[in-house]
Amino acid sequence: CREILGASAIDVELAPGASVRNALAALIAREPRLERFVASARYARNDAFVDATEALMDGDDVAVIPPVSGGRG
């Protein structure tokens, strides 16, 4: 995701009562290529895993964590 956005952090203005899902929609509107990561990603709010329905507060940090694979195949 960082490679697509060209940054490790982006500020997003959201309406009061917005959720992680709203933040994701704002990012996808800015960069539509992110949409392919949303369905399989995990989300964190202030370093704790949350669902996309989690409400946000002013100043929260939201992380989009894409799936990773590893190990030996």
Side-chain angles (χ1 to χ4, degrees):
C1 294
R2 290 180 190 174
E3 293 80 17
I4 292 172
L5 290 171
S8 61
I10 293 179
D11 289 329
V12 177
E13 293 283 331
L14 300 170
S19 66
V20 170
R21 183 173 286 130
N22 299 126
L24 296 170
L27 288 174
I28 290 168
R30 186 180 287 185
E31 181 49 73
R33 292 181 295 166
L34 290 174
E35 189 166 16
R36 65 185 169 129
F37 294 103
V38 171
S40 57
R42 301 265 330 253
Y43 313 107
R45 174 182 167 244
N46 300 329
D47 299 322
F49 286 111
V50 295
D51 291 328
T53 58
E54 180 79 11
L56 299 174
M57 300 194 60
D58 190 34
D60 280 349
D61 288 324
V62 176
V64 178
I65 305 158
V68 295
S69 63
R72 301 178 111 185

